[in-house]
C-alpha cells in the first residue's frame, strides 16, 4: 500500500510539474483572479492525493485536475460573496478595456499560458517582479528555484512574488491579451521569462535530474508561437535560435546513469543535427537589420559551439569577441563569468583565473555554484590543488542537482587524492 501511495505521489508531482502552467492559466482565464486560481489548483492537487490512491491515476490527469479545480472555484465563489463581487469588478474592467484582439488583428493567438505571460509582463509591475511571478505561478518553479534563477535569497524572492500579486489585485490589472500596439512594450519581459523557463528545463536548479526536458520543450514551443505572432521582432528569432542550438545537445549532456557530461567530453554525434540546422538558419535574420540584441548574440555563440567538430577546433577568439558585445549589451556577473571561461580557453587558465578573481567581490555570484566550480577547474589545470579543492567544496555546497554534486565530488576526490 505504501508503494502504491508513493507511486501516486510521484504521478501527482509529475503532472503538477508538467501541466501546472496550463492549469493555472486556464483557471485565471476562467475566473480572472490569480490568488483564487493558485488556491483551487492546490486544493485539486490535495484531492488527487486522496482520490488517486483509491481510484487509480486517471487517463487524463491534467483534465481531472482542471475539472476539480474549477468546481472548487465555483463552490468558493458561491460561499464568498465578497470574493465574487471583486471578481465581478475585474470582469467589468476587462470588458471596458475592449474585446480580445482577433486572430486577424494580431496573427495566430498564443495559448492561455502565453497570453498570461503577457499579462504578467504588464508595465505597472516592477521589472524584477514580472519574471519572478511568471516563473513561480506559470512555470511551476518553487520559490527557491526562482530565487536561484535570479541570484537572490529565497526570502527576498517570496516578498517580490507577494508584492507582484498584490499589485495586480490593487491596480486591477486585467487578465487579457494586449493589443498589437501594446505587444512590443511587453516583449522583453516575456522573452526573459521564456528564457528562464528554458534554462530551468535545460539545467535544473534542484532535484535528482540534471535536465527537465518538458520545460525546455514547452519554452521552445511557446517561442515558436511568439515568432509566428511577431515575425519581424529579431530578438524573438534570436531567442528561438538560441534555444534550439542549446537544446540540440541535450542527449549528450548526461551519461547512461544520468551523470553530468561536460561540453568537452560530449559525444557530438548524439547532438540533434536537424535542430542545429534549424537554429543555424535563424541566426542571420536575428542579427541582420540593426544593432544586435542579447539573444541574437547568444545564439551566435551557441552556433559557434555547435558548428565545431570538437572543443579544440572551436573558434574561441570569435566567442570571446561575441561575449564582449554581450557584456556591453547586458552587463551582468553571469555574462562576465562565461566570458572569463572563454578567455581561459583562448589564452590559458591563468588569464581566465585572473578575470574570475576580479569578480570575487560580486554579491550575486556568492550563491551561484558555476562560479566556484569554474575557479576549481582552472586552479586544477594550474596544479594549485589545495585551492582547487576549496573551490570545489564551495561549489558542492551550492550545487542544486544531484548530478552536479556527483560530478563535483569526483573532481574534489581527484584533487584531494
Amino acid at each position: 500500500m505504501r508503494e502504491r501511495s508513493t507511486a501516486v505521489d510521484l504521478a501527482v508531482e509529475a503532472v503538477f510539474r508538467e501541466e501546472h502552467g496550463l492549469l493555472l492559466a486556464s483557471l485565471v482565464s476562467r475566473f480572472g483572479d490569480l490568488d483564487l486560481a493558485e488556491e483551487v489548483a492546490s486544493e485539486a492537487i490535495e484531492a488527487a492525493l486522496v482520490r488517486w490512491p483509491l481510484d487509480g491515476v486517471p487517463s487524463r490527469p491534467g483534465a481531472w485536475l482542471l475539472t476539480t479545480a474549477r468546481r472548487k472555484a465555483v463552490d468558493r465563489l458561491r460561499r464568498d460573496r465578497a470574493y465574487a463581487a471583486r471578481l465581478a469588478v475585474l470582469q467589468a474592467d476587462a470588458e471596458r478595456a475592449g474585446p480580445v484582439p482577433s486572430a486577424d488583428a494580431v496573427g495566430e493567438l498564443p495559448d492561455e499560458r502565453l497570453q498570461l505571460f503577457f499579462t504578467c509582463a504588464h508595465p505597472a509591475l516592477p521589472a524584477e517582479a514580472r519574471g519572478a511571478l511568471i516563473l513561480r505561478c506559470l512555470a511551476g518553479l518553487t520559490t527557491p528555484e526562482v530565487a536561484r534563477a535570479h541570484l537572490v535569497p529565497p526570502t527576498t524572492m517570496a516578498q517580490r512574488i507577494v508584492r507582484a500579486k498584490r499589485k495586480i489585485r490593487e491596480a486591477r490589472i486585467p487578465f487579457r491579451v494586449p493589443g498589437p500596439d501594446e505587444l512590443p512594450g511587453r516583449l522583453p519581459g516575456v522573452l526573459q521569462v521564456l528564457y528562464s523557463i528554458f534554462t530551468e528545463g535545460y539545467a535544473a536548479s534542484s532535484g535528482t535530474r540534471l535536465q527537465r526536458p518538458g520545460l525546455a520543450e514547452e519554452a521552445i514551443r511557446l517561442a515558436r508561437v511568439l515568432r509566428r505572432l511577431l515575425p519581424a521582432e529579431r530578438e524573438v528569432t534570436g531567442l528561438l535560435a538560441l534555444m534550439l542550438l542549446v537544446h540540440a545537445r541535450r542527449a549528450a549532456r548526461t551519461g547512461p546513469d544520468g551523470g553530468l557530461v561536460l561540453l568537452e567530453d560530449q559525444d557530438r554525434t548524439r547532438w540533434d543535427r536537424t535542430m542545429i540546422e534549424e537554429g543555424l538558419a535563424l541566426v542571420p535574420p536575428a542579427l541582420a537589420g540593426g544593432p544586435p540584441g542579447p539573444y541574437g548574440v547568444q545564439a551566435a555563440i551557441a552556433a559557434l559551439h555547435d558548428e565545431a567538430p570538437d572543443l579544440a577546433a572551436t573558434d574561441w577568439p570569435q566567442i570571446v569577441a561575441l561575449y564582449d558585445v554581450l557584456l556591453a549589451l547586458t552587463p551582468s556577473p553571469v555574462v562576465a563569468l562565461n566570458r572569463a571561461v572563454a578567455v581561459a580557453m583562448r589564452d590559458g587558465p591563468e588569464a581566465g583565473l585572473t578575470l574570475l578573481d576580479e569578480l570575487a567581490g560580486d554579491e550575486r555570484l556568492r550563491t551561484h555554484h558555476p562560479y566556484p566550480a569554474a575557479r576549481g577547474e582552472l586552479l586544477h589545470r594550474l596544479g594549485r590543488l589545495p585551492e582547487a579543492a576549496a573551490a570545489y567544496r564551495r561549489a558542492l555546497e551550492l550545487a542544486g542537482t544531484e548530478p552536479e554534486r556527483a560530478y563535483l565530488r569526483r573532481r574534489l576526490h581527484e584533487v584531494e587524492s
Side-chain angles (χ1 to χ4, degrees):
M1 184 66 179
R2 175 59 186 166
E3 291 179 358
R4 183 180 181 185
S5 178
T6 301
V8 169
D9 290 349
L10 292 174
V12 173
E13 181 182 359
V15 171
F16 183 75
R17 282 285 194 180
E18 298 303 322
E19 302 200 39
H20 176 259
L22 179 59
L23 174 64
L24 200 64
S26 298
L27 292 168
V28 171
S29 178
R30 172 66 178 82
F31 298 104
D33 186 275
L34 184 53
D35 281 328
L36 175 64
E38 281 197 292
E39 290 169 6
V40 296
S42 296
E43 290 176 8
I45 295 292
E46 293 173 4
L49 291 172
V50 173
R51 295 304 314 169
W52 291 6
L54 301 175
D55 303 336
V57 178
S59 59
R60 297 177 60 209
W64 189 98
L65 289 174
L66 179 58
T67 300
T68 303
R70 282 177 173 170
R71 289 172 179 165
K72 291 183 177 296
V74 170
D75 290 343
R76 177 169 299 197
L77 292 176
R78 285 172 177 165
R79 295 193 309 267
D80 191 336
R81 292 184 179 179
Y83 218 152
R86 180 156 60 85
L87 293 188
V89 171
L90 291 172
Q91 182 63 35
D93 287 345
E95 291 173 357
R96 281 196 298 272
V100 172
S102 67
D104 293 336
V106 297
E108 181 183 343
L109 287 176
D111 71 8
E112 291 170 329
R113 281 162 290 191
L114 200 51
Q115 293 172 20
L116 194 49
F117 285 165
F118 275 106
T119 300
C120 291
H122 195 283
L125 296 174
E128 70 275 5
R130 298 171 201 162
L133 181 64
I134 296 174
L135 289 175
R136 175 68 187 93
C137 297
L138 291 172
L141 274 62
T142 66
T143 299
E145 287 172 343
V146 179
R148 189 184 297 270
H150 285 77
L151 305 182
V152 299
T155 52
T156 300
M157 184 52 63
Q159 292 169 357
R160 286 184 187 177
I161 293 171
V162 169
R163 286 195 295 266
K165 290 163 64 177
R166 184 185 304 126
K167 179 69 174 180
I168 288 177
R169 183 172 62 250
E170 294 176 352
R172 286 157 59 173
I173 295 173
F175 290 91
R176 64 178 179 85
V177 180
D181 57 329
E182 299 174 283
L183 288 177
R186 310 250 189 115
L187 186 58
V190 172
L191 294 181
Q192 179 187 14
V193 168
L194 288 180
Y195 187 47
S196 296
I197 294 172
F198 174 79
T199 301
E200 177 63 25
Y202 185 73
S205 58
S206 63
T208 59
R209 295 183 299 166
L210 184 68
Q211 303 179 87
R212 294 169 60 185
L215 271 183
E217 289 161 7
E218 178 65 10
I220 291 173
R221 188 189 70 78
L222 292 172
R224 291 188 193 278
V225 173
L226 189 59
R227 185 165 185 261
R228 290 196 296 270
L229 183 68
L230 299 170
E233 292 290 341
R234 292 185 299 129
E235 277 291 79
V236 175
T237 301
L239 177 59
L240 178 57
L242 172 61
M243 290 179 177
L244 292 170
L245 291 167
V246 172
H247 194 55
R249 310 175 205 145
R250 66 195 180 282
R253 290 191 65 236
T254 55
D257 60 350
L260 170 64
V261 180
L262 296 184
L263 183 65
E264 60 196 76
D265 300 319
Q266 288 177 17
D267 177 1
R268 300 188 179 210
T269 64
R270 299 184 66 199
W271 290 2
D272 188 328
R273 302 311 306 183
T274 301
M275 189 172 289
I276 288 174
E277 292 303 321
E278 182 185 359
L280 291 176
L282 294 174
V283 173
L287 296 176
Y295 294 114
V297 174
Q298 291 179 80
I301 293 172
L304 289 172
H305 283 298
D306 286 9
E307 289 175 321
D310 53 46
L311 195 73
T314 303
D315 190 348
W316 292 109
Q318 182 66 15
I319 288 178
V320 172
L322 287 169
Y323 270 122
D324 289 339
V325 174
L326 185 60
L327 196 58
L329 290 171
T330 56
S332 80
V334 174
V335 174
L337 165 61
N338 292 334
R339 179 184 179 276
V341 173
V343 168
M345 297 303 299
R346 183 191 68 179
D347 301 335
E350 191 70 56
L353 186 62
T354 299
L355 294 176
L356 288 182
D357 287 342
E358 292 174 0
L359 300 173
D362 195 302
E363 292 280 346
R364 292 166 291 183
L365 291 179
R366 292 190 177 179
T367 57
H368 188 55
H369 87 271
Y371 176 71
R375 288 193 78 254
E377 293 291 334
L378 296 184
L379 289 165
H380 194 171
R381 288 167 58 186
L382 290 168
R384 294 161 59 176
L385 302 188
E387 294 172 87
Y392 284 138
R393 278 193 290 270
R394 176 58 179 161
L396 189 55
E397 293 173 2
L398 299 173
T401 67
E402 183 52 39
E404 289 169 322
R405 288 192 290 268
Y407 170 80
L408 290 167
R409 281 194 291 266
R410 289 196 302 271
R411 299 298 277 168
L412 180 60
H413 177 72
E414 290 172 12
V415 299
E416 287 183 331
S417 62

